[in-house]
Amino acid sequence: MLTLAPAMAWGFTDRGLVREGMVADLNVFDPERVAPAVPEVVRDLPRGGKRLSQKSEGFKATVVGGEVTIVDGEPTGARPGRLVRAR
């Protein structure tokens, strides 16, 4: 139920629970290892702009819409999601 309330608040009626007929958005992680990594400054914005980037550790995979998108921190190339814009 941790993800159901935010999904409903944002109007995603097909997300927030793992059950038949719902869209499968899942993170697979090791509860003994999951933790934030040390933040770092990266310069990947236009004109060399910098921003703070913080990754995490202990995640095995991310699944979006039933497709594996990240394994061991590396993108698989799958992009099943969609852009969400303000109404």
Side-chain angles (χ1 to χ4, degrees), residues 4-5 50:
L4 181 60
K50 60 184 177 180

Side-chain angles (χ1 to χ4, degrees), residues 29-48:
F29 63 93
D30 178 349
E32 300 293 321
R33 293 189 46 240
V34 71
V38 176
E40 63 180 326
V41 175
V42 294
R43 294 182 175 273
D44 60 357
L45 296 175
R47 300 184 65 160

